[in-house]
Amino acid sequence: MLFIDWLILVVYLLCSLALGIYVSLKNNNEADYFVAGRRLNGLLAGMSMAATTFSIDTPLYVAGIIGTRGLAGNWEWWSFGLAHVAMTVVFAPLWRRSGVLTDAAFSELRYGGKAAAYLRGIKAFLLSVPINCIGIGYAFLAMRKVAESLGVVDGHYVFGFFTDTTLLMIFVALFMLIYTVLGGLWAVVLNDFVQLILALLGAFAVCYVGLDASGGMGQLLIKLESLGRPELLSLFPWTWNKDGINWIDSSGISVTTFLAFISLQWWSFRRSDGGGEFIQRLLATKDEKQATLAGIVFLIVNYIIRSWLWILVGLAGLVLLPYQTDWELSYPNLAVNYLPPVALGLVVVSLVAAFMSTVSTSINWGASYLAHDLYKRFLRPSAGPSEMILIGQLASIVLLLIGVVTALFSSSIGSMFRLVIAIGTGPGVVLVLRWFWWRINALAELSSMLSGFFIGLLTSVAPFLKIEDFGKRLLFTTLFTAVIWLLTLLVTEPESEATLDRFVRQVRPPGPGWNKIRNKLNLDPHDSLLVLVFRFVLGSGILYGGLLSIGAFLLHQERGGWIALSFAVSCIFLIKKTRLITQ
């Protein structure tokens, strides 16, 4: 990096800091600090959600998938599109009607008594500290990898105590804390908007130079085919010809693992009804329509637009940087080798922006649990607005420090990502059912969350209990967790009528599971469950039809592209007809 590249980076950092300080003037109370006063529009909230998932680690993670398992390996994260469609068309309005400040606080709206309080506290701790800090940790790990590949640091000791890598992470952490701690969610969201634009421009720049250096898309495909790795250009981990379906063993994805991705992972994972930081954005929107719009914006940016920029960079890296030992470094290495000064500075800024958007969100989101769901709920119920903002700021500092330490003990972004999935698998079905069935109680959700966490952890890291096949690990965790929470449900009492009545009045949930209570209260659901299911199926068809058609056309697989595009267009037509029926 030249002086001009460093100057661009410094100017960006100072502008982010200035915006955070200015926005801090908007924070008058806890709701302002943690949910932006519930004044976000759908576009801004959706862009913020997309920025949150576009961290410095995500293009590296996708490049690593491409290099080790080929194109089909992306189903590891593409499968979550089903959960995000459900979040958009089913759960976004429900979350917004709940009116809570965090999804942990939702526990004491949906349930009652001491069990609900315990659930709220334990959930707040698990999500804010171990799970959240692992996420912060692999973002910092990615930053470390990028900094080392760019030559910014080399791992040597400074003053005999810390490596220059550690000092760099401490410096960035302290800088980011200033605007995140001062500005709260307002600062995070507004910076997210700018950071997403920069991150997308940076991804486009790296993708462009990668394709140009490869000789264009046609030449890139020819060179990839010559590598003798059929998994690289296959949208699925199999080939289909006149002899039938042949599984591509070189994809490194077993049949069990692939089936787990598309039929199990997305609904069994703890984000099945939204996901913590996404729920925070939905709760921060002005109303239900804006919450749904936020989900739509996120789906378009995260899956339709962004996927193929990352994937093409990963494919170009296979041709242009064939001797890499760490395929996760394709993205920064292509930038360093093929971008001129100024352009390189802008891409570095885009990576820093992506990193800051994710970590700042994780900090503010995690702090909301520690402040609102632990400190105020259990220690100081009478805490005033100024005190709560101060506690949120202190919690932000603690979480960031733990996240930095976590990054120092790992070397693979992909392995950390899979660990997060494993320890969050199991409770997803309960999180979905609690919206549609009155019988789900606090102890059932608590048992599913704890058992999923510990079973996922043991089968991921324990020497004699570890299950190597990722699909089998998810299946085992889900089934064992299901046995535990079902038994818990059978031997425990349902929630009180008063608690259930309060929930139905507030949220107006759909489905036959609430008919008895709705009839007693003389209330109607906002939407028919059948219509919501129909919209989910069609919405999923639109998402995956669009995603796969773009990919197929880029890969010169025209027949598959037209099939996928036709499917997506048909689903769009049907979902419009569905909306007419429900008006």
Side-chain angles (χ1 to χ4, degrees):
M1 287 177 62
L2 302 179
F3 173 77
I4 185 64
D5 299 315
W6 284 107
L7 181 61
I8 292 171
L9 178 60
V10 170
V11 170
Y12 162 73
L13 292 175
L14 291 176
C15 290
S16 296
L17 180 61
L19 180 60
I21 294 173
Y22 171 75
V23 169
S24 67
L25 301 175
K26 291 178 175 286
N27 294 323
N28 298 314
N29 53 51
E30 188 181 3
D32 285 337
Y33 193 79
F34 292 123
V35 289
R38 303 193 195 276
R39 297 193 296 272
L40 295 184
N41 61 48
L43 176 62
L44 194 58
M47 294 283 275
S48 179
M49 290 159 66
T52 296
T53 57
F54 192 159
S55 179
I56 193 172
D57 60 88
T58 40
L60 274 66
Y61 160 71
V62 172
I65 285 178
I66 296 295
T68 56
R69 287 182 286 165
L71 188 55
N74 287 283
W75 284 101
E76 182 172 275
W77 67 279
W78 280 349
S79 63
F80 284 111
L82 293 166
H84 291 142
V85 171
M87 174 193 74
T88 300
V89 302
V90 179
F91 297 111
L94 295 172
W95 276 115
R96 187 60 189 84
R97 287 200 295 271
S98 74
V100 296
L101 195 71
T102 67
D103 55 328
F106 175 79
S107 301
E108 290 194 291
L109 172 65
R110 173 61 178 83
Y111 313 117
K114 289 184 178 180
Y118 288 136
L119 172 62
R120 179 178 179 177
I122 294 171
K123 175 178 285 190
F125 176 77
L126 287 179
L127 292 179
S128 62
V129 181
I131 292 175
N132 187 38
C133 288
I134 290 174
I136 294 173
Y138 65 67
F140 270 96
L141 171 61
M143 189 193 73
R144 188 187 83 192
K145 286 191 171 190
V146 170
E148 290 173 349
S149 67
L150 294 175
V152 178
V153 293
D154 58 13
H156 73 273
Y157 278 89
V158 180
F159 307 121
F161 295 103
F162 300 105
T163 65
D164 57 353
T165 303
T166 304
L167 289 176
L168 174 67
M169 288 195 287
I170 292 173
F171 171 76
V172 173
L174 290 175
F175 176 87
M176 189 169 46
L177 266 180
I178 297 174
Y179 88 76
T180 304
V181 167
L182 289 177
L185 189 61
W186 270 118
V188 171
V189 169
L190 292 179
N191 268 300
D192 276 353
F193 183 84
V194 177
Q195 289 161 352
L196 178 64
I197 300 300
L198 290 172
L200 288 174
L201 290 175
F204 177 80
V206 179
C207 180
Y208 177 82
V209 297
L211 289 178
D212 183 64
S214 302
M217 194 67 207
Q219 285 298 311
L220 175 62
L221 295 176
I222 292 173
K223 293 173 182 177
L224 288 170
E225 289 173 356
S226 69
L227 296 177
R229 294 182 58 185
E231 78 277 8
L232 291 180
L233 299 176
S234 178
L235 289 167
F236 300 94
W238 66 75
T239 58
W240 191 2
N241 52 40
K242 62 181 180 180
D243 298 322
I245 296 177
N246 298 301
W247 203 263
I248 305 175
D249 294 329
S250 56
S251 67
I253 304 172
S254 67
V255 176
T256 306
T257 297
F258 182 75
L259 291 176
F261 287 162
I262 61 173
S263 65
L264 176 67
Q265 179 175 275
W266 64 273
W267 59 261
S268 182
F269 189 54
R270 61 178 175 82
R271 293 176 177 269
S272 59
D273 65 343
E277 60 268 45
F278 286 2
I279 293 171
Q280 184 189 38
R281 299 304 191 276
L282 299 176
L283 292 170
T285 54
K286 296 177 182 178
D287 53 40
E288 299 165 35
K289 289 184 178 180
Q290 294 302 313
T292 300
L293 176 60
I296 294 172
V297 170
F298 166 74
L299 288 171
I300 293 172
V301 175
N302 189 58
Y303 292 97
I304 304 298
I305 296 176
R306 207 162 50 185
S307 285
W308 293 103
L309 292 175
W310 293 339
I311 289 169
L312 292 177
V313 169
L315 292 174
L318 290 166
V319 171
L320 299 174
L321 306 167
Y323 301 111
Q324 286 186 126
T325 56
D326 186 349
W327 290 112
E328 290 181 350
L329 294 177
S330 293
Y331 194 97
N333 285 343
L334 280 176
V336 170
N337 289 327
Y338 293 96
L339 283 172
V342 179
L344 177 59
L346 291 173
V347 168
V348 170
V349 166
S350 74
L351 287 170
V352 172
F355 165 78
M356 293 171 66
S357 66
T358 295
V359 176
S360 60
T361 287
S362 296
I363 292 170
N364 182 267
W365 168 60
S368 70
Y369 291 130
L370 295 180
H372 182 67
D373 298 301
L374 291 175
Y375 181 80
K376 186 173 184 177
R377 172 62 181 83
F378 296 102
L379 299 178
R380 283 271 295 169
S382 61
S386 299
E387 181 179 351
M388 288 305 300
I389 291 176
L390 175 62
I391 294 300
Q393 293 169 338
L394 294 174
S396 298
I397 296 172
V398 172
L399 291 174
L400 187 56
L401 290 176
I402 298 173
V404 171
V405 172
T406 303
L408 300 175
F409 293 95
S410 182
S411 60
S412 172
I413 297 167
S415 63
M416 292 183 76
F417 179 81
R418 284 183 282 278
L419 175 61
V420 169
I421 294 175
I423 62 178
T425 293
V429 64
V430 178
L431 300 183
V432 170
L433 286 176
R434 65 183 179 176
W435 295 97
F436 304 110
W437 187 27
W438 67 273
R439 185 60 181 86
I440 297 294
N441 61 23
L443 290 174
E445 183 175 334
L446 180 60
S447 64
S448 70
M449 181 179 65
L450 291 177
S451 58
F453 180 86
F454 287 110
I455 295 169
L457 183 63
L458 290 173
T459 55
S460 296
V461 300
F464 299 106
L465 299 174
K466 186 175 181 179
I467 301 175
E468 293 294 343
D469 186 283
F470 190 63
K472 292 179 180 177
R473 191 189 315 169
L474 296 183
L475 181 61
F476 177 82
T477 303
T478 300
L479 291 176
F480 205 90
T481 301
V483 171
I484 293 173
W485 74 258
L486 283 170
L487 288 175
T488 302
L489 195 65
L490 287 173
V491 300
T492 55
E493 296 293 324
E495 298 298 329
S496 68
E497 286 191 19
T499 298
L500 297 173
D501 290 351
R502 179 189 62 192
F503 176 74
V504 171
R505 287 194 185 97
Q506 178 76 21
V507 178
R508 304 282 287 275
W514 299 100
N515 280 345
K516 182 178 179 180
I517 299 173
R518 277 199 302 263
N519 292 336
K520 180 183 70 174
L521 300 175
N522 196 26
L523 294 173
D524 293 320
H526 273 265
D527 294 291
S528 161
L529 180 59
L530 181 61
V531 170
L532 291 176
V533 170
F534 194 43
R535 289 179 184 171
F536 165 71
V537 173
L538 295 177
S540 300
I542 295 170
L543 176 66
Y544 288 108
L547 174 69
L548 296 177
S549 65
I550 292 173
F553 285 127
L554 283 172
L555 300 174
H556 296 182
Q557 300 172 10
E558 284 79 8
R559 185 176 68 173
W562 285 114
I563 292 173
L565 181 61
S566 300
F567 186 72
V569 171
S570 299
C571 289
I572 291 173
F573 173 77
L574 289 173
I575 205 167
K576 285 185 175 181
K577 296 291 288 184
T578 304
R579 286 180 178 176
L580 289 175
I581 291 170
T582 58
Q583 288 178 349

